[in-house]
Amino acid sequence: MNAPATDQLPIAVIGAGPVGLAAAAHLVERGLEPLVLEAGPSAGTAVRDWAHVRLFSPWAEVTDPAADKLLAPTGWVRPDGSAYPTGGDWAEQYLQPLADVLSDKIRYGATVTGVARAGRDRIVDSGRDEQPFTLHIQHADGREERTTARAVIDASGTWSTPSPAGADGLPALGEKTAADRITYRVPDLGDPAVRARYAGRRTAVVGSGASAFTALALLADLAKEEGGTHAVWILRRGIGANTYGGGEADQLPARGALGRRAKAAVEAGHASAVTGFRTQAVDRDGDQLVLVAEDGRRLDPVDEVIVLTGLRPDLSFLSEVRLGLDERLQAPTALAPLIDPNVHSCGTVYPHGVGELSHPEQGIHLVGMKSYGRAPTFLAMTGYEQVRSVTAAIAGDREAAERVELVLPESGVCGGAGLFDEPDNAEQSGGGCCAAPATLQIGVGATDAAFSELGVLR
């Protein structure tokens, strides 16, 4: 039996999260066959892990237009566009219904363990571009499978690989052995068992983004009800005008309010900030933990540690394909300068599409959170626009692939936040990126753009 021609093969989509499902919807809209491979047991598995956290983007900004069209004939009722869903709401009211429509186009419990060109490792040039992709899959029941695809859209995200507490990007000394007292997620204090873990205790919160703000706000609320509850906020840089985000200047009001809640927690004494602290070790002190900085400082013992220092992509299963990634961010080479926190941390990224997401290996695209590598955070609608452009390119619609139009809200924060140590660096580094137009036509031929911040809490 002859193998099917490459153009008759499905397009593999890795991950059934918001962006992966949107990619599948756009492929269906264009008459192409998606094969969605999801490691978890349901749609939005990662989103369900933070079901208790409320997004700071409203419903109107977290549903994809192609997905809406696919859902419409089912009688699906779009949620109030001005309301802010939790992760659980997003999964149950949108992602799962969308997955149900896609039905047998999704395989659950299917972990992609490798991607390659059929019969070609990454070294071989001869005949490479004519070969389909092969994907090695590990099923939940232990079975192994190999399947072929015309193209690959990797929307697997970064949720499974949180960054450690160690300031050098590696786990701090003792961090792994203290795993019973450390979490890398925003705790669900609505769960009685989780609440008991933090009530009346000292908790170190390591990180400076939206997730850290969320944790500080939740612990402050707990402190109002449970005496002895206190958060120690660990910052690698000093406190400056932009430490708490854009505030009133943030065009996403819920995001601005989140920063203000974190600031209120500090001002009310429910949290104390430790600045310029780069964690080198986590020592045991009886039943408590002591964080030790690179400069030798030792903090007072804490009972728990919440590490919210960002996420990073898992590139291990892509080792046999030729990716063009920035050496710092692990984001596509053309996208990285637009989102590099060493240069700027503005709330608006120039729209981008397949041009910025392409690699030396034709036919493979990293999209969604994974496309940002280790850069901070991005809006869900950025991911939706990415897959609209990518799927248009796969379908051969060059004009639509290049026509990337998107208006993104600004965070009210500009400057080189990634340069930190000194809090004033953000204000002194220019801030020109925030003045960039938010709607452009760029894509396949694009050579220039700028940066955005996140649309969901992480």
Side-chain angles (χ1 to χ4, degrees), residues 219-232:
L219 289 171
D221 290 343
L222 182 60
K224 296 171 187 176
E225 302 173 11
E226 298 283 352
T229 304
H230 188 77
V232 182

Side-chain angles (χ1 to χ4, degrees), residues 234-237 274-279 291-293 297 299:
I234 311 299
L235 291 155
R236 293 173 182 171
R237 58 177 178 262
V274 179
T275 60
F277 193 96
R278 296 177 177 272
T279 306
L291 300 187
V292 184
R297 277 184 293 165
L299 299 184

Side-chain angles (χ1 to χ4, degrees), residues 43-74:
T45 299
V47 174
R48 294 174 193 272
D49 275 355
W50 47 270
H52 59 292
V53 178
R54 191 166 299 281
L55 282 73
F56 51 68
S57 290
W59 272 113
E61 296 176 359
V62 297
T63 61
D64 174 78
D68 289 354
K69 292 178 185 176
L70 203 58
L71 284 164
T74 70

Side-chain angles (χ1 to χ4, degrees), residues 78 155 200 426:
R78 179 198 296 270

Side-chain angles (χ1 to χ4, degrees), residues 26 39 43 52 57 123 138 142 164 167-168 173 201 241 281 321 332 390 397 416 423 447 452:
H26 281 276
H52 59 292
S57 290
I123 300 173
Q138 178 83 42
D168 56 7
L173 297 176
R201 299 190 174 194
V321 292
V390 165
D397 188 346
T447 59
S452 165

